[in-house]
Every structure is written in C-alpha cells, then in structure tokens.
Amino acid sequence: MDSFSTLIRTASQEQHVEAETSTFMSDLLGGRLGVDAYARYTEQLWFVYEALEAGAERLASDPVAGPFVRPELFRLAALERDLEHLRGPGWRATLNALPATRRYADRVRECAERWPGGYVAHHYTRYLGDLSGGQIIRDKAEKTWGFERKGDGVRFYVFEGIANPAAFKRGYRELLDAVNADELERQRIVAECKRAFALNTAVFRALGEEFPLSA
Ligand code: HEM
C-alpha cells in the first residue's frame, strides 16, 4: 500500500496541474503581468497565511497537527516585508481580500479552530508547495520585476531557516506518513487537501479576471 505522503501527492496531482496552468499563473510565469498583479497576489497570500499562522501556536501541542507546526516555515513576517516593499508603508490600509480569498482563509481558520487533520491538509498544500514550485515563482519574479535576489518583494519564497529544502521535504513526508490519524481520518485529510487546491484555483481565477491580458 502506498504511504500517506504518496497518497496525498497523487490524489492532488491533477489539481496541481490545474493550479499550475491556470491563466493567472501562466501569465505570471510568462512574464506577461505587471508588478501590480504580483502585489495583488501577494496581498491574497497574506490573508491565507494569517489564517494558517494565527492558530499555529495553539496547535503546536496538538497530537495530530503539532508535529507540523515549525517556526522556520512561518511566512507572515516575510509577507509583510514584501508588501511594504510592493505597496509602501501604508500597505495595511489598502489591503483587501478577494471574495475567493476570504472563502479560502475562512476555511483554513475553521480547520485551525476545529479540525487539526484539516489543518494538516492546508498546511501541506501551502508550505510544501512554497518550498517547491514557489522557488520557480521567485526566480521568475526576480527576473520580471527586478527584485533583488532573495530580497524584499520575494522574501515570502525565501525560507531562511531551511538550509536544505529537499531534506526538509523528505522529513515533512515522514511526518505525513506518521500522522496520528486512522484510515478514515486520513481519507478525510486527502479530501481536504483537494479542497485546498480548489480554493487556491478559485483565487487564481479571480485574479485572472482582475488582470486580464489585453493581447
Ligand atoms: C506555477 C505554479 C507552480 C509550479 C511551477 C509548481 C511546481 C511544483 C514542483 C516542481 C513540485 C515538485 C517538487 C518536488 O517533487 O519536490 C511541486 C510540488 C508541490 N506543489 Fe506546486 N507548483 C505550482 C503551484 C502550486 C500551487 C498553487 C499549489 C497549492 C497551493 C502547489 C502545491 C504543491 C505541493 C503541495 C507540492 C508537494 C507535492 C509532494 O511532494 O507531496 N503548487 N510544485
């Protein structure tokens, strides 16, 4: 039987391709969008990580979610530095969530408060993605909009406390395989992971509508 980390990856593979090839992501990675689109996207991430990390401290002692809560993953401070760079010192006053982002963050918060297994699904979907494809986005963003390498504007993608991302991901998959959940709960976690991907894709769709290409 496949390990849980393999199961969760293969179960979300199709949706991963969908997120990766969404119009907004394709345009972003294709260098076809202005820095304002990137800033708007970064703002949306702020709401998601605020929801993920506000509940993290309380979950640190939870038997299911606790092992996943690692301070070296926390992204909110990095996002805030990026937003200050992208939007200026008044970034907080104009920060606002798209309805799709609101739905995503609400679901993350709900899981953080009531269902540790669901929180693990959201945790996996974001942080393992950021450690993987996030690096491709960073590289592209640096080249397209001229951010300093690993500097302000792309700090979200730079995990300063993780020297070896490949090793960290291996360790993370071991945590998934050992997650304190029975078969049924594992199935529910996989289903929540799919939901997490769908929530992400909905945000991309909304961003795509906000930043259509004229060409
Ligand atoms: C253009 C956008 C994206 C690109 C280019 C991309 C690329 C990648 C690549 C190359 C990997 C494999 C890393 C490895 O095997 O170690 C990966 C893994 C992953 N990505 Fe993405 N990705 C993108 C978007 C996303 C999005 C939007 C999400 C979800 C929010 C996501 C979630 C994940 C997850 C959870 C993994 C880990 C899979 C596993 O090994 O269990 N990715 N991504």
Side-chain angles (χ1 to χ4, degrees):
M1 203 173 81
D2 280 340
S3 63
F4 185 55
S5 61
T6 302
L7 187 68
I8 198 165
R9 184 177 65 231
T10 46
S12 55
Q13 228 154 35
E14 212 171 296
Q15 281 170 297
H16 185 273
V17 173
E18 198 182 328
E20 226 178 317
T21 55
S22 65
T23 304
F24 182 76
M25 255 308 138
S26 305
D27 288 344
L28 196 82
L29 292 180
R32 294 185 288 274
L33 291 172
V35 71
D36 55 330
Y38 176 75
R40 189 80 173 113
Y41 172 47
T42 307
E43 285 183 344
Q44 305 313 300
L45 291 173
W46 185 91
F47 289 95
V48 176
Y49 286 82
E50 201 280 323
L52 267 172
E53 293 172 13
E57 207 172 310
R58 199 180 42 78
L59 282 166
S61 57
D62 180 85
V64 176
F68 296 90
V69 176
R70 307 271 288 269
E72 63 268 42
L73 288 172
F74 289 172
R75 299 288 82 208
L76 202 59
L79 276 170
E80 294 187 354
R81 279 186 75 173
D82 287 342
L83 285 171
E84 183 156 351
H85 183 74
L86 293 163
R87 295 291 204 210
W91 65 271
R92 233 178 246 275
T94 50
L95 183 71
N96 68 89
L98 289 159
T101 305
R102 179 83 50 207
R103 279 192 290 279
Y104 184 6
D106 283 351
R107 179 61 184 162
V108 171
R109 198 167 298 108
E110 195 172 60
C111 289
E113 285 167 10
R114 291 191 221 142
W115 179 31
Y119 181 81
V120 170
H122 286 282
H123 193 279
Y124 161 80
T125 307
R126 284 298 346 165
Y127 295 111
L128 227 57
D130 301 332
L131 280 164
S132 311
Q135 302 314 302
I136 299 166
I137 299 174
R138 175 177 60 77
D139 187 59
K140 196 68 208 180
E142 288 166 0
K143 290 187 176 126
T144 309
W145 301 296
F147 301 122
E148 187 189 321
R149 188 171 137 75
K150 298 191 175 182
D152 288 343
V154 291
R155 289 195 190 274
F156 168 73
Y157 302 97
V158 183
F159 290 82
E160 291 192 327
I162 299 177
N164 183 342
F168 186 92
K169 283 194 282 185
R170 274 196 300 278
Y172 193 99
R173 290 190 187 108
E174 283 167 17
L175 286 182
L176 281 173
D177 292 339
V179 71
N180 190 358
D182 63 16
E183 192 49 40
L184 181 61
E185 176 70 349
R186 286 178 182 218
Q187 284 176 23
R188 292 177 68 217
I189 293 172
V190 168
E192 187 65 27
C193 176
K194 291 186 182 184
R195 186 166 174 180
F197 269 93
L199 287 162
N200 269 285
T201 303
V203 173
F204 287 151
R205 198 176 306 122
L207 284 166
E209 283 163 15
E210 194 167 306
F211 296 95
L213 289 179
S214 46

